[in-house]
Short mmCIF file of all heavy atoms in Angstrom, two decimals:
data_model
loop_
_atom_site.label_atom_id
_atom_site.label_comp_id
_atom_site.label_asym_id
_atom_site.label_seq_id
_atom_site.Cartn_x
_atom_site.Cartn_y
_atom_site.Cartn_z
N LYS L 1 2.90 -8.29 -16.81
CA LYS L 1 2.40 -9.30 -15.88
C LYS L 1 3.27 -9.36 -14.63
O LYS L 1 2.76 -9.43 -13.50
CB LYS L 1 2.38 -10.66 -16.58
CG LYS L 1 1.68 -11.74 -15.75
CD LYS L 1 1.58 -13.03 -16.51
CE LYS L 1 0.86 -14.09 -15.68
NZ LYS L 1 0.79 -15.38 -16.39
N GLU L 2 4.63 -9.33 -14.85
CA GLU L 2 5.55 -9.33 -13.70
C GLU L 2 5.33 -8.09 -12.82
O GLU L 2 5.28 -8.18 -11.60
CB GLU L 2 7.00 -9.37 -14.19
CG GLU L 2 7.39 -10.70 -14.80
CD GLU L 2 8.80 -10.66 -15.36
OE1 GLU L 2 9.44 -9.60 -15.25
OE2 GLU L 2 9.26 -11.69 -15.90
N ARG L 3 5.21 -6.93 -13.53
CA ARG L 3 4.97 -5.68 -12.77
C ARG L 3 3.63 -5.72 -12.03
O ARG L 3 3.49 -5.25 -10.91
CB ARG L 3 5.01 -4.50 -13.72
CG ARG L 3 4.96 -3.15 -13.01
CD ARG L 3 5.06 -2.04 -14.00
NE ARG L 3 4.79 -0.76 -13.35
CZ ARG L 3 4.68 0.39 -13.97
NH1 ARG L 3 4.82 0.44 -15.29
NH2 ARG L 3 4.45 1.51 -13.31
N PHE L 4 2.66 -6.34 -12.69
CA PHE L 4 1.33 -6.48 -12.07
C PHE L 4 1.40 -7.34 -10.81
O PHE L 4 0.79 -7.01 -9.77
CB PHE L 4 0.37 -7.08 -13.09
CG PHE L 4 -0.99 -7.41 -12.51
CD1 PHE L 4 -1.89 -6.39 -12.22
CD2 PHE L 4 -1.34 -8.72 -12.23
CE1 PHE L 4 -3.12 -6.70 -11.68
CE2 PHE L 4 -2.57 -9.03 -11.69
CZ PHE L 4 -3.47 -8.01 -11.41
N GLU L 5 2.18 -8.45 -10.89
CA GLU L 5 2.32 -9.32 -9.72
C GLU L 5 3.05 -8.60 -8.58
O GLU L 5 2.66 -8.70 -7.41
CB GLU L 5 3.11 -10.60 -10.10
CG GLU L 5 2.39 -11.51 -11.09
CD GLU L 5 1.13 -12.11 -10.49
OE1 GLU L 5 1.09 -12.30 -9.26
OE2 GLU L 5 0.18 -12.39 -11.26
N ILE L 6 4.12 -7.83 -8.94
CA ILE L 6 4.86 -7.07 -7.91
C ILE L 6 3.97 -6.02 -7.26
O ILE L 6 3.91 -5.89 -6.03
CB ILE L 6 6.11 -6.41 -8.52
CG1 ILE L 6 7.12 -7.48 -8.96
CG2 ILE L 6 6.76 -5.44 -7.51
CD1 ILE L 6 8.22 -6.96 -9.84
N ASP L 7 3.23 -5.26 -8.11
CA ASP L 7 2.33 -4.23 -7.58
C ASP L 7 1.20 -4.84 -6.76
O ASP L 7 0.74 -4.26 -5.78
CB ASP L 7 1.75 -3.38 -8.71
CG ASP L 7 2.78 -2.45 -9.33
OD1 ASP L 7 3.77 -2.17 -8.63
OD2 ASP L 7 2.59 -2.01 -10.48
N LYS L 8 0.78 -6.06 -7.17
CA LYS L 8 -0.28 -6.73 -6.42
C LYS L 8 0.20 -7.11 -5.01
O LYS L 8 -0.48 -6.90 -4.02
CB LYS L 8 -0.73 -7.98 -7.17
CG LYS L 8 -1.96 -8.65 -6.55
CD LYS L 8 -2.40 -9.83 -7.39
CE LYS L 8 -3.62 -10.52 -6.76
NZ LYS L 8 -4.03 -11.70 -7.52
N GLU L 9 1.47 -7.66 -4.94
CA GLU L 9 2.05 -7.99 -3.64
C GLU L 9 2.26 -6.75 -2.78
O GLU L 9 1.95 -6.72 -1.59
CB GLU L 9 3.39 -8.71 -3.83
CG GLU L 9 3.24 -10.10 -4.44
CD GLU L 9 4.60 -10.74 -4.72
OE1 GLU L 9 5.62 -10.08 -4.44
OE2 GLU L 9 4.63 -11.89 -5.21
N THR L 10 2.79 -5.66 -3.45
CA THR L 10 2.98 -4.39 -2.73
C THR L 10 1.65 -3.84 -2.23
O THR L 10 1.55 -3.34 -1.10
CB THR L 10 3.65 -3.35 -3.66
OG1 THR L 10 4.85 -3.89 -4.16
CG2 THR L 10 3.94 -2.06 -2.89
N PHE L 11 0.64 -3.96 -3.07
CA PHE L 11 -0.70 -3.49 -2.68
C PHE L 11 -1.25 -4.27 -1.48
O PHE L 11 -1.81 -3.68 -0.55
CB PHE L 11 -1.62 -3.63 -3.89
CG PHE L 11 -3.03 -3.18 -3.63
CD1 PHE L 11 -3.32 -1.83 -3.48
CD2 PHE L 11 -4.08 -4.10 -3.52
CE1 PHE L 11 -4.62 -1.41 -3.23
CE2 PHE L 11 -5.36 -3.68 -3.27
CZ PHE L 11 -5.63 -2.34 -3.13
N GLU L 12 -1.01 -5.61 -1.49
CA GLU L 12 -1.47 -6.42 -0.35
C GLU L 12 -0.73 -6.05 0.93
O GLU L 12 -1.31 -5.94 2.01
CB GLU L 12 -1.25 -7.92 -0.66
CG GLU L 12 -2.08 -8.45 -1.81
CD GLU L 12 -3.56 -8.47 -1.47
OE1 GLU L 12 -3.90 -8.57 -0.28
OE2 GLU L 12 -4.39 -8.37 -2.40
N ILE L 13 0.62 -5.82 0.79
CA ILE L 13 1.42 -5.42 1.96
C ILE L 13 0.95 -4.07 2.49
O ILE L 13 0.83 -3.87 3.70
CB ILE L 13 2.92 -5.36 1.59
CG1 ILE L 13 3.44 -6.78 1.27
CG2 ILE L 13 3.75 -4.74 2.72
CD1 ILE L 13 4.79 -6.81 0.60
N LYS L 14 0.70 -3.12 1.56
CA LYS L 14 0.24 -1.79 1.99
C LYS L 14 -1.13 -1.89 2.69
O LYS L 14 -1.39 -1.15 3.64
CB LYS L 14 0.14 -0.87 0.77
CG LYS L 14 1.47 -0.57 0.10
CD LYS L 14 2.36 0.25 0.98
CE LYS L 14 3.71 0.48 0.35
NZ LYS L 14 3.66 1.10 -0.98
N ILE L 15 -2.00 -2.77 2.18
CA ILE L 15 -3.32 -2.94 2.83
C ILE L 15 -3.14 -3.47 4.25
O ILE L 15 -3.74 -2.96 5.20
CB ILE L 15 -4.22 -3.90 2.00
CG1 ILE L 15 -4.69 -3.19 0.73
CG2 ILE L 15 -5.42 -4.35 2.82
CD1 ILE L 15 -5.51 -4.06 -0.19
N GLU L 16 -2.26 -4.52 4.40
CA GLU L 16 -2.01 -5.06 5.75
C GLU L 16 -1.40 -4.02 6.67
O GLU L 16 -1.76 -3.89 7.84
CB GLU L 16 -1.09 -6.28 5.64
CG GLU L 16 -1.74 -7.48 4.96
CD GLU L 16 -0.77 -8.63 4.81
OE1 GLU L 16 0.40 -8.49 5.24
OE2 GLU L 16 -1.18 -9.69 4.28
N MET L 17 -0.46 -3.22 6.11
CA MET L 17 0.18 -2.15 6.91
C MET L 17 -0.85 -1.10 7.30
O MET L 17 -0.86 -0.60 8.42
CB MET L 17 1.31 -1.53 6.10
CG MET L 17 2.15 -0.52 6.87
SD MET L 17 3.52 0.09 5.85
CE MET L 17 4.20 1.28 7.02
N PHE L 18 -1.72 -0.77 6.35
CA PHE L 18 -2.78 0.21 6.61
C PHE L 18 -3.73 -0.28 7.71
O PHE L 18 -4.09 0.47 8.61
CB PHE L 18 -3.55 0.45 5.31
CG PHE L 18 -4.77 1.32 5.47
CD1 PHE L 18 -4.64 2.69 5.68
CD2 PHE L 18 -6.05 0.78 5.45
CE1 PHE L 18 -5.75 3.49 5.84
CE2 PHE L 18 -7.16 1.57 5.61
CZ PHE L 18 -7.02 2.94 5.81
N ILE L 19 -4.09 -1.58 7.66
CA ILE L 19 -4.98 -2.15 8.68
C ILE L 19 -4.30 -2.15 10.05
O ILE L 19 -4.89 -1.80 11.07
CB ILE L 19 -5.41 -3.58 8.29
CG1 ILE L 19 -6.29 -3.54 7.03
CG2 ILE L 19 -6.14 -4.27 9.43
CD1 ILE L 19 -6.56 -4.89 6.41
N ALA L 20 -2.96 -2.53 10.07
CA ALA L 20 -2.22 -2.55 11.34
C ALA L 20 -2.12 -1.16 11.95
O ALA L 20 -2.32 -0.97 13.15
CB ALA L 20 -0.82 -3.12 11.11
N VAL L 21 -1.80 -0.17 11.08
CA VAL L 21 -1.70 1.22 11.58
C VAL L 21 -3.05 1.71 12.06
O VAL L 21 -3.16 2.41 13.06
CB VAL L 21 -1.13 2.14 10.48
CG1 VAL L 21 -1.22 3.59 10.90
CG2 VAL L 21 0.31 1.77 10.19
N LYS L 22 -4.11 1.32 11.33
CA LYS L 22 -5.46 1.72 11.74
C LYS L 22 -5.83 1.14 13.10
O LYS L 22 -6.40 1.82 13.96
CB LYS L 22 -6.46 1.27 10.68
CG LYS L 22 -7.85 1.87 10.85
CD LYS L 22 -8.76 1.48 9.70
CE LYS L 22 -10.14 2.09 9.88
NZ LYS L 22 -11.06 1.69 8.78
N GLU L 23 -5.46 -0.17 13.33
CA GLU L 23 -5.73 -0.80 14.62
C GLU L 23 -4.93 -0.12 15.75
O GLU L 23 -5.45 0.14 16.83
CB GLU L 23 -5.34 -2.29 14.57
CG GLU L 23 -6.28 -3.14 13.74
CD GLU L 23 -7.66 -3.23 14.36
OE1 GLU L 23 -7.74 -3.27 15.60
OE2 GLU L 23 -8.65 -3.21 13.60
N ARG L 24 -3.65 0.17 15.45
CA ARG L 24 -2.83 0.85 16.45
C ARG L 24 -3.38 2.24 16.77
O ARG L 24 -3.35 2.69 17.91
CB ARG L 24 -1.39 0.95 15.93
CG ARG L 24 -0.42 1.50 16.97
CD ARG L 24 0.98 1.53 16.43
NE ARG L 24 1.87 2.23 17.35
CZ ARG L 24 3.12 2.54 17.07
NH1 ARG L 24 3.66 2.19 15.91
NH2 ARG L 24 3.87 3.19 17.95
N PHE L 25 -3.85 2.90 15.71
CA PHE L 25 -4.45 4.22 15.89
C PHE L 25 -5.69 4.14 16.80
O PHE L 25 -5.88 4.97 17.69
CB PHE L 25 -4.83 4.78 14.51
CG PHE L 25 -5.57 6.08 14.56
CD1 PHE L 25 -4.90 7.26 14.87
CD2 PHE L 25 -6.93 6.14 14.32
CE1 PHE L 25 -5.58 8.46 14.91
CE2 PHE L 25 -7.61 7.33 14.36
CZ PHE L 25 -6.93 8.50 14.66
N LYS L 26 -6.52 3.10 16.60
CA LYS L 26 -7.72 2.93 17.45
C LYS L 26 -7.32 2.66 18.90
O LYS L 26 -7.90 3.23 19.83
CB LYS L 26 -8.56 1.77 16.93
CG LYS L 26 -9.31 2.09 15.64
CD LYS L 26 -10.16 0.89 15.21
CE LYS L 26 -10.93 1.18 13.93
NZ LYS L 26 -11.73 0.02 13.49
N LYS L 27 -6.28 1.75 19.08
CA LYS L 27 -5.86 1.44 20.46
C LYS L 27 -5.29 2.66 21.16
O LYS L 27 -5.59 2.92 22.32
CB LYS L 27 -4.81 0.32 20.43
CG LYS L 27 -5.37 -1.03 20.03
CD LYS L 27 -4.28 -2.09 19.99
CE LYS L 27 -4.84 -3.45 19.58
NZ LYS L 27 -3.79 -4.47 19.49
N ASP L 28 -4.44 3.41 20.43
CA ASP L 28 -3.87 4.63 21.02
C ASP L 28 -4.94 5.66 21.33
O ASP L 28 -4.86 6.38 22.32
CB ASP L 28 -2.82 5.24 20.09
CG ASP L 28 -1.53 4.44 20.06
OD1 ASP L 28 -1.28 3.72 21.06
OD2 ASP L 28 -0.77 4.52 19.09
N MET L 29 -5.97 5.71 20.48
CA MET L 29 -7.07 6.66 20.72
C MET L 29 -7.84 6.25 21.98
O MET L 29 -8.21 7.09 22.80
CB MET L 29 -7.99 6.68 19.50
CG MET L 29 -8.98 7.83 19.49
SD MET L 29 -9.82 7.97 17.91
CE MET L 29 -10.89 9.36 18.29
N GLU L 30 -8.08 4.91 22.15
CA GLU L 30 -8.76 4.43 23.35
C GLU L 30 -7.93 4.69 24.60
O GLU L 30 -8.44 5.12 25.64
CB GLU L 30 -9.05 2.92 23.21
CG GLU L 30 -10.10 2.60 22.16
CD GLU L 30 -10.26 1.11 21.96
OE1 GLU L 30 -9.52 0.34 22.62
OE2 GLU L 30 -11.11 0.70 21.14
N SER L 31 -6.58 4.43 24.49
CA SER L 31 -5.69 4.71 25.62
C SER L 31 -5.67 6.19 25.96
O SER L 31 -5.65 6.57 27.12
CB SER L 31 -4.27 4.23 25.26
OG SER L 31 -3.37 4.54 26.29
N PHE L 32 -5.69 7.00 24.92
CA PHE L 32 -5.72 8.46 25.13
C PHE L 32 -7.00 8.89 25.84
O PHE L 32 -6.97 9.70 26.77
CB PHE L 32 -5.60 9.15 23.76
CG PHE L 32 -5.78 10.64 23.82
CD1 PHE L 32 -4.76 11.45 24.29
CD2 PHE L 32 -6.97 11.22 23.41
CE1 PHE L 32 -4.92 12.81 24.34
CE2 PHE L 32 -7.12 12.58 23.47
CZ PHE L 32 -6.10 13.38 23.93
N GLU L 33 -8.15 8.31 25.45
CA GLU L 33 -9.43 8.65 26.09
C GLU L 33 -9.43 8.22 27.56
O GLU L 33 -9.87 8.95 28.44
CB GLU L 33 -10.59 7.97 25.34
CG GLU L 33 -10.82 8.47 23.93
CD GLU L 33 -11.34 9.90 23.93
OE1 GLU L 33 -11.98 10.31 24.91
OE2 GLU L 33 -11.08 10.62 22.94
N ILE L 34 -8.91 6.98 27.84
CA ILE L 34 -8.86 6.49 29.22
C ILE L 34 -7.96 7.36 30.08
O ILE L 34 -8.30 7.74 31.20
CB ILE L 34 -8.37 5.02 29.24
CG1 ILE L 34 -9.40 4.10 28.56
CG2 ILE L 34 -8.11 4.55 30.67
CD1 ILE L 34 -8.87 2.73 28.22
N ALA L 35 -6.76 7.71 29.53
CA ALA L 35 -5.83 8.57 30.28
C ALA L 35 -6.42 9.95 30.51
O ALA L 35 -6.22 10.55 31.58
CB ALA L 35 -4.50 8.68 29.53
N TYR L 36 -7.18 10.43 29.51
CA TYR L 36 -7.79 11.76 29.65
C TYR L 36 -8.87 11.75 30.73
O TYR L 36 -8.96 12.67 31.55
CB TYR L 36 -8.39 12.17 28.30
CG TYR L 36 -8.99 13.54 28.28
CD1 TYR L 36 -8.19 14.68 28.44
CD2 TYR L 36 -10.36 13.72 28.11
CE1 TYR L 36 -8.74 15.94 28.42
CE2 TYR L 36 -10.92 14.99 28.10
CZ TYR L 36 -10.10 16.10 28.25
OH TYR L 36 -10.65 17.34 28.25
N GLU L 37 -9.69 10.67 30.76
CA GLU L 37 -10.73 10.54 31.80
C GLU L 37 -10.09 10.41 33.18
O GLU L 37 -10.54 11.02 34.16
CB GLU L 37 -11.61 9.31 31.51
CG GLU L 37 -12.49 9.43 30.27
CD GLU L 37 -13.54 10.53 30.43
OE1 GLU L 37 -14.02 10.73 31.57
OE2 GLU L 37 -13.87 11.19 29.43
N MET L 38 -9.03 9.60 33.28
CA MET L 38 -8.32 9.43 34.55
C MET L 38 -7.71 10.75 34.99
O MET L 38 -7.73 11.10 36.18
CB MET L 38 -7.23 8.37 34.37
CG MET L 38 -6.58 7.95 35.68
SD MET L 38 -5.43 6.60 35.41
CE MET L 38 -4.80 6.41 37.08
N PHE L 39 -7.16 11.50 34.02
CA PHE L 39 -6.58 12.82 34.32
C PHE L 39 -7.64 13.76 34.87
O PHE L 39 -7.41 14.46 35.86
CB PHE L 39 -5.97 13.38 33.02
CG PHE L 39 -5.53 14.81 33.13
CD1 PHE L 39 -4.38 15.16 33.81
CD2 PHE L 39 -6.28 15.83 32.55
CE1 PHE L 39 -3.98 16.47 33.90
CE2 PHE L 39 -5.89 17.14 32.65
CZ PHE L 39 -4.74 17.46 33.32
#
């Protein structure tokens, strides 16, 4: 049960980290497209 709670918290943190990295990836991709068009 303790391990389950720890893994559950780790899993929630990994999900939030995954969502943050995904959002940053989208923003960088949009910035890359804008810079490429401007170039």
Side-chain angles (χ1 to χ4, degrees):
K1 188 175 181 182
E2 290 176 1
R3 187 177 171 187
F4 174 74
E5 294 295 330
I6 293 167
D7 288 338
K8 188 176 179 183
E9 292 175 0
T10 305
F11 180 72
E12 294 293 333
I13 293 167
K14 295 293 177 56
I15 287 177
E16 292 177 0
M17 187 177 177
F18 173 74
I19 293 169
V21 171
K22 192 175 180 181
E23 288 294 324
R24 186 178 172 188
F25 175 75
K26 287 182 180 179
K27 290 179 181 178
D28 286 337
M29 193 170 179
E30 290 174 359
S31 177
F32 173 76
E33 294 292 333
I34 293 166
Y36 183 66
E37 291 295 326
M38 189 175 178
F39 171 75

